[in-house]
């Protein structure tokens, strides 16, 4: 079974520039998550999709971050304009839905963003 | 909002020593998950605990869920260098499988 794919793996941009990340979840996983992980901290959920609908975006800075999952499969996360404090690893994860007692999340390798 | 606190933040052990990390919440948890993240890697699911007082073992790893479902622990017996990494607990919040991660405990194992 192929894992969660993310690209790019690394990105360096200047502040006020824009950037986009792509994620392809495990086939058949209905739920997709985007997390921000700042160095030395645990992952923080930015947005959660179930199929192509948003079920939680309470911690997404909506003035600069946006995400979509148009066909209920792959997803993009965009930052525009970027700030220095956006430097972090952006992790995508997916999980199956309604599988009894098995809601583990499968994480992709992440995109390390550096904003200079 | 819901928070989970993990202690310690960081622990050094000699290879062969035991290691324990603790996860605490001020509210009752429906269940708790544990993940391991190797240096430079991504979180990998280890286990989920659901029942009050539950104890689960995976080889040298023992996971416990408190009777009141407000705390959990992960104990590693006789650590090996392959155990190096950060161990996160994560609590389920709400009805859509949203995870709230603790800050993690970083384990260093010296040979």
């Amino acid at each position: 079974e192929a894992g969660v794919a993310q690209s790019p793996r690394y990105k360096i941009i200047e502040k006020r520039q824009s950037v986009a990340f792509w994620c392809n979840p495990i086939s058949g996983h209905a739920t997709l998550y985007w997390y921000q992980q700042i160095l030395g901290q645990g992952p923080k959920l930015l947005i959660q999709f179930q199929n192509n609908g948003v079920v939680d975006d309470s911690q997404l800075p909506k003035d600069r971050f946006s995400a979509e999952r148009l066909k209920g499969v792959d997803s993009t996360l965009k930052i525009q304009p970027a700030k220095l404090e956006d430097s972090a690893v952006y992790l995508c994860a997916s999980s199956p839905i309604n599988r009894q007692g098995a809601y583990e999340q499968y994480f992709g390798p992440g995109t390390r963003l550096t904003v200079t | 909002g819901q928070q989970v606190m993990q202690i310690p933040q960081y622990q050094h052990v000699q290879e062969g020593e035991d290691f324990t990390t603790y996860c605490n919440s001020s509210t009752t948890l429906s269940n708790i998950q544990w993940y391991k993240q190797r240096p430079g890697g991504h979180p990998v699911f280890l286990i989920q605990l659901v029942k009050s007082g539950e104890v689960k073992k995976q080889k040298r790893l023992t996971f416990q869920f408190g009777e009141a479902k407000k705390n959990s622990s992960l104990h590693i017996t006789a650590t090996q260098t392959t155990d190096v990494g950060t161990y996160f607990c994560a609590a389920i919040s709400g009805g859509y499988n949203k995870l709230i991660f603790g800050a993690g405990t970083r384990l260093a194992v010296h040979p």
Side-chain angles (χ1 to χ4, degrees):
Chain A
E1 176 179 78
V4 176
Q6 288 189 249
S7 67
R9 292 296 310 277
Y10 305 92
K11 191 75 178 178
I12 301 174
I13 61 172
E14 294 181 352
K15 59 184 179 184
R16 292 187 289 274
Q17 286 187 323
S18 63
V19 65
F21 312 127
W22 175 82
C23 172
N24 192 27
I26 292 173
S27 177
H29 281 191
T31 311
L32 185 148
Y33 315 80
W34 282 103
Y35 289 89
Q36 181 192 59
Q37 186 174 26
I38 292 172
L39 188 64
Q41 299 182 16
K44 182 183 85 170
L45 181 70
L46 293 175
I47 190 167
Q48 178 178 342
F49 293 92
Q50 190 151 299
N51 297 308
N52 59 349
V54 175
V55 297
D56 193 307
D57 63 357
S58 57
Q59 297 191 96
L60 187 75
K62 298 180 185 67
D63 58 333
R64 298 184 302 107
F65 286 63
S66 64
E68 60 183 14
R69 192 184 185 198
L70 290 175
K71 297 180 181 178
V73 181
D74 57 350
S75 175
T76 55
L77 175 69
K78 296 179 183 177
I79 308 175
Q80 183 179 12
K83 292 185 176 181
L84 296 176
E85 60 260 35
D86 298 331
S87 294
V89 175
Y90 290 84
L91 294 162
C92 179
S94 69
S95 70
I97 188 171
N98 290 330
R99 217 171 88 199
Q100 186 66 25
Y103 290 90
E104 69 267 28
Q105 295 184 16
Y106 297 81
F107 285 81
T111 297
R112 183 176 298 276
L113 174 67
T114 302
V115 182
T116 63
Chain B
Q2 188 168 66
Q3 283 190 323
V4 285
M5 309 299 293
Q6 270 190 266
I7 54 170
Q9 281 188 309
Y10 183 66
Q11 186 152 7
H12 263 240
V13 297
Q14 287 294 126
E15 190 172 20
E17 290 181 337
D18 292 355
F19 159 77
T20 305
T21 173
Y22 301 90
C23 183
N24 298 294
S25 171
S26 58
T27 59
T28 301
L29 304 171
S30 59
N31 52 17
I32 197 156
Q33 296 183 357
W34 286 91
Y35 289 77
K36 176 183 178 181
Q37 187 172 25
R38 293 182 187 276
H42 56 276
V44 174
F45 174 80
L46 294 176
I47 209 155
Q48 176 171 263
L49 304 173
V50 178
K51 299 176 184 175
S52 167
E54 189 169 18
V55 178
K56 288 188 176 180
K57 293 190 176 185
Q58 289 180 350
K59 297 183 181 178
R60 295 178 294 103
L61 277 60
T62 302
F63 303 84
Q64 290 191 313
F65 203 6
E67 293 288 344
K69 300 182 75 175
K70 289 185 175 183
N71 57 75
S72 181
S73 64
L74 158 59
H75 179 83
I76 302 178
T77 304
T79 54
Q80 300 175 358
T81 54
T82 52
D83 296 325
V84 164
T86 302
Y87 293 85
F88 293 98
C89 64
I92 300 286
S93 174
Y96 287 103
N97 202 32
K98 173 180 177 178
L99 283 181
I100 308 295
F101 280 82
T105 296
R106 188 153 69 98
L107 172 64
V109 180
H110 298 284

